[in-house]
Amino acid sequence: MPYDYKPFPFVAPPGLTAPEPRHAVVIVGAGPIGLAAALELANHGVRSVVLDDNNVVSVGSRAICWSKRSLEILDRIGVGAACVAKGVIWKVGRTYHRDREVFNFDLLPEPGHKMPAFVNLQQYYVEDYLVAEAQASGLIDLRFKNRVTGVSQTADGARVEIETPEGFYTLEAGYVLACDGAKSPIRAMMGLEFQGVLFEERFLIADIEMEADFPSERRFWFEPEFHQGQSALLHKQPDNIYRIDLQLGWGTDPAEENKPERIIPRIEKVVGHGNFKLDWHSIYTFQCRRLESFVHDRVIFVGDSAHVVSPFGARGGNGGLQDVDALGWRLAAVVTGEAPGAILQRYDLERTHGSDENILNSSRSTRFMSPAEGAERWFRDATLALASHAEFARPMVNSGRLSVPCVYPLSGAPDVAGMPSASRPGAVAPDAPLGGDWLLSVLGGEMTLLAIGQPAPARLALRVVEVEVTPEVKARYLGDRDRALYLIRPDQIVAARWERAEAGAITAHAAAIWEGRA
Amino acid sequence: MSLVTRRNLNDQDAAYAALIGAHKGLSEAESIALNARLILILMNHIGDPAVIGEALALATASGARPAG
Ligand SMILES: Cc1cc2nc3c(=O)[nH]c(=O)nc-3n(C[C@H](O)[C@H](O)[C@H](O)COP(=O)(O)OP(=O)(O)OC[C@H]3O[C@@H](n4cnc5c(N)ncnc54)[C@H](O)[C@@H]3O)c2cc1C
């Protein structure tokens, strides 16, 4: 059954009748990223106003694949369980050349993690859950039909001009988060360049409703019989909805290709029958671009406004949620006066790094699908031809490298040789079962010392979590050592690790993080 | 390890003939495709990204057009 869009009511904001007191944070855009940012700030006790020009959740499904890391972040802000309960859980992807399977991958080969590798869930559901959570929060003032028409920097904040159905008003804010999406009007208002490439290729993206028992796996075809010479992707979503992506070629006419009478016969060839309903469709040309810097004084870009990628690899929304993860605790500390504004430069550094990794991976996949004539095509075709004959060529077949969080380059962070690389400084702390709970459920939110196989040093002015050495903890945190101390940031990133350390060394490193020096 | 640029084939004439022989009767497009597969196979066999990098650099430099 297709999603039932319920418009959110417009409520006249106080600013229409009298100037509002200055707000700590104003968030522009109630897409997944703006909503998640508001909830993350609320988790840290910080209030925000969220403005959105629209009054319904995402029209059309757009994002469907939510990564393990996104689910962990969504869990911290209260909607992880709902997403997993409603979503289609999957971890295996299969890639075909013509009718032969040439490659498959398993994104979560080991058990002992709270969250699955991926769930497929329509973006409108995720936004629906986030809106409900935001409305219940008490710290979030969510305003629909509030369109931002101007943003300007002031000496110690920013001013936002807003248009509503009942008139215009202005807000003063300490910080403005531009979460206004790929076409970001704020980016344009500030005259910022969005650098990168556009791929000269068109894709038809359609959601269909049908009764079928296709497996909960990602299936991708190069040059399938049913879609001559091009590529195709099939993904299962909840409510008997299937996502189909079909590569069309640059020479096709987007207006013509977006007509149901053109689309339906194409999809009939994919699924082998005509017994389905077309739920949503659109023709896309994809880009990989980013802002040079995400932080511009008091205006901070988060999510698609800061960076866009082609969707093969699901790095758009998932990348944006990692922005929220890296920004929330820092901005909260700045707003409450616990940290200097300089620590926001660390957000910029880390997320431009993450964004470059996402752009690199997404560009490579898109070029493999849609190679330029000449050398690119020769080697692409050679790889596909070799894949059914030689093992080495199979992983070279690139139908998308699915979103995994980047490892931040925390140069100089204390580290121990011989401990696992999965938990090295800069990486997300790996999850592990913890009695009846999960390690990630007790890490995060605050700077925390995780003490493994030993008590935490005495008189440590930090939150401490002490855990027993289980097989999972040993494999993920100890490697060839038998004890460890891990400093975990509020965003669950490993900041440093020691085999043994004095309280002084640990608090000194924590202080360096709060001052933006590490 | 670095790229071997000194003589490394015992019977270079036979190796060269085998390469030409593999292309015999192929159209230009088929030859291009064969070369592409061959390069991928050899690249994987070498494995070492530094050696591959040196090979790419040598191939690029030796094909450079003389100035003017
Ligand atoms: C076909 C397709 C498939 C995708 N698949 C995936 C996937 O599987 N996984 C994934 O992670 N990502 C995927 N993405 C990317 C994902 O949809 C985006 O990354 C995500 O929507 C970004 O969220 P956002 O909140 O930054 O921006 P948006 O979702 O675009 O939200 C921006 C919000 O700002 C509001 N706004 C804009 N201008 C103003 C203004 N002037 N004033 C007030 N409000 C304003 C808009 O109304 C909107 O609500 C896909 C995208 C596409 C197109």
Side-chain angles (χ1 to χ4, degrees):
Chain A
M1 202 182 56
Y3 182 80
D4 179 20
Y5 287 92
K6 293 193 190 68
F8 304 111
F10 167 74
V11 180
L16 280 178
T17 41
E20 294 185 31
R22 177 186 159 107
H23 296 281
V25 180
V26 167
I27 298 174
V28 184
I33 304 312
L35 292 165
L39 286 163
E40 176 68 359
L41 288 171
N43 261 355
H44 290 282
V46 171
R47 290 179 179 276
S48 61
V49 176
V50 182
L51 308 167
D52 196 274
D53 58 350
N54 208 340
N55 65 346
V56 287
V57 293
S58 176
V59 174
S61 163
R62 299 203 287 158
I64 58 167
C65 302
W66 304 91
S67 70
K68 175 174 186 285
R69 183 62 193 149
S70 289
L71 294 168
E72 289 164 357
I73 295 166
L74 292 169
D75 204 29
R76 251 183 16 228
I77 58 177
V79 302
C83 290
V84 175
K86 177 77 188 174
V88 171
I89 294 172
W90 67 277
K91 60 176 192 163
V92 171
R94 295 187 192 281
T95 304
Y96 302 83
H97 181 215
R98 311 228 164 87
D99 54 359
R100 194 197 289 233
E101 184 177 327
V102 291
F103 180 56
N104 63 60
F105 54 81
D106 182 339
L107 296 164
L108 192 57
E110 60 175 29
H113 295 260
K114 179 176 184 187
M115 288 300 171
F118 267 93
V119 304
N120 282 357
L121 181 63
Q122 294 89 323
Q123 184 162 334
Y124 41 73
Y125 279 119
V126 176
E127 292 185 16
D128 184 323
Y129 303 156
L130 288 168
V131 166
E133 197 67 22
Q135 285 173 331
S137 132
L139 293 176
I140 299 171
D141 181 347
L142 188 47
R143 304 181 182 180
F144 295 100
K145 290 273 175 204
N146 276 242
R147 191 166 72 87
V148 171
T149 56
V151 170
S152 52
Q153 308 263 4
T154 60
D156 60 350
R159 185 174 296 123
V160 183
E161 312 291 338
I162 301 147
E163 182 189 340
T164 77
E166 293 178 12
F168 300 83
Y169 71 107
T170 301
L171 287 182
E172 302 283 341
Y175 284 89
V176 170
L177 303 190
C179 305
D180 52 345
K183 295 194 181 122
S184 177
I186 297 180
R187 211 174 52 219
M189 288 168 204
M190 293 178 60
L192 299 172
E193 249 185 88
F194 209 36
Q195 288 160 337
V197 294
L198 172 132
F199 298 99
E200 294 194 342
E201 183 57 87
R202 293 187 210 288
F203 292 87
L204 162 67
I205 316 278
D207 282 349
I208 61 167
E209 189 187 341
M210 69 174 173
E211 302 275 347
D213 54 358
F214 289 138
S216 300
E217 296 174 342
R218 176 187 196 263
R219 292 200 281 170
F220 193 100
W221 292 264
F222 287 100
E223 304 178 327
E225 292 296 322
F226 57 74
H227 188 53
Q228 214 62 56
Q230 303 282 8
S231 71
L233 173 67
L234 183 68
H235 245 319
K236 186 175 182 166
Q237 304 172 61
D239 302 343
N240 288 325
I241 307 278
Y242 288 83
R243 164 66 54 87
I244 292 168
D245 292 16
L246 293 175
Q247 182 182 357
L248 296 178
W250 186 235
T252 46
D253 175 355
E256 203 52 38
E257 293 298 341
N258 203 24
K259 293 181 176 160
E261 62 266 31
R262 290 277 301 164
I263 295 172
I264 288 168
R266 287 194 186 280
I267 294 178
E268 281 175 351
K269 286 209 217 154
V270 180
V271 299
H273 57 77
N275 193 13
F276 60 83
K277 212 176 116 273
L278 195 56
D279 194 40
W280 169 76
H281 54 92
S282 188
I283 309 283
Y284 281 95
T285 289
F286 293 115
Q287 314 184 26
C288 281
R289 294 186 197 274
R290 77 162 168 91
L291 282 173
E292 194 178 333
S293 169
F294 298 172
V295 178
H296 294 261
D297 297 324
R298 296 307 183 104
V299 180
I300 303 174
F301 290 83
V302 196
D304 273 12
S305 68
H307 45 73
V308 291
V309 290
S310 48
F312 308 98
R315 289 170 179 264
N318 290 311
L321 286 172
Q322 287 160 43
D323 294 349
V324 170
D325 206 21
L327 178 64
W329 60 282
R330 291 181 164 116
L331 182 60
V334 171
V335 164
T336 54
E338 290 157 51
I343 89 166
L344 298 174
Q345 289 309 321
R346 289 272 157 184
Y347 161 74
D348 195 42
L349 218 72
E350 291 182 356
R351 291 315 303 162
T352 51
H353 172 84
S355 172
D356 282 342
E357 189 170 306
N358 289 332
I359 285 175
L360 183 72
N361 280 287
S362 305
S363 309
R364 286 175 175 171
S365 305
T366 311
R367 292 177 72 154
F368 193 88
M369 271 166 228
S370 182
E373 282 313 313
E376 268 189 40
R377 175 165 279 281
W378 304 336
F379 284 108
R380 196 293 290 263
D381 289 351
T383 305
L384 288 174
L386 280 168
S388 39
H389 297 274
E391 194 193 299
F392 82 85
R394 293 176 189 184
M396 292 176 94
V397 174
N398 189 344
S399 74
R401 305 292 185 215
L402 279 118
S403 174
V404 283
C406 71
V407 176
Y408 295 127
L410 302 181
S411 60
D415 193 6
V416 181
M419 285 189 184
S421 113
S423 53
R424 68 189 183 277
V428 176
D431 203 3
L434 199 69
D437 202 355
W438 297 95
L439 185 53
L440 281 187
S441 308
V442 299
L443 297 179
E446 273 178 70
M447 198 72 80
T448 303
L449 186 79
L450 171 64
I452 304 169
Q454 64 183 317
R459 286 183 301 281
L460 181 71
L462 269 184
R463 175 167 169 254
V464 169
V465 170
E466 288 174 0
V467 301
E468 305 276 295
V469 180
T470 62
E472 290 90 352
V473 166
K474 169 132 186 61
R476 293 168 201 175
Y477 286 92
L478 294 182
D480 61 15
R481 307 301 162 115
D482 52 28
R483 71 193 65 202
L485 297 170
Y486 275 77
L487 183 63
I488 311 286
R489 301 193 325 201
D491 54 356
Q492 297 167 327
I493 299 291
V494 174
R497 59 183 177 182
W498 302 264
E499 197 170 3
R500 290 186 177 78
E502 304 283 318
I506 298 167
T507 43
H509 196 74
I513 293 170
W514 287 121
E515 287 160 22
R517 292 185 285 112
Chain B
M1 227 187 51
S2 62
L3 182 72
V4 178
T5 54
R6 56 176 169 71
R7 177 173 174 180
N8 197 32
L9 295 162
N10 273 332
D11 187 345
Q12 72 280 8
D13 292 350
Y16 187 83
L19 182 61
I20 303 298
H23 284 271
K24 195 155 187 246
L26 299 188
S27 69
E28 192 170 328
E30 286 164 342
S31 264
I32 285 172
L34 176 74
N35 277 341
R37 293 195 298 274
L38 184 63
I39 289 166
L40 291 172
I41 292 165
L42 296 176
M43 189 168 81
N44 179 67
H45 180 83
I46 293 166
D48 183 342
V51 175
I52 294 167
E54 281 183 61
L56 286 170
L58 175 59
T60 302
S62 54
R65 292 188 192 96

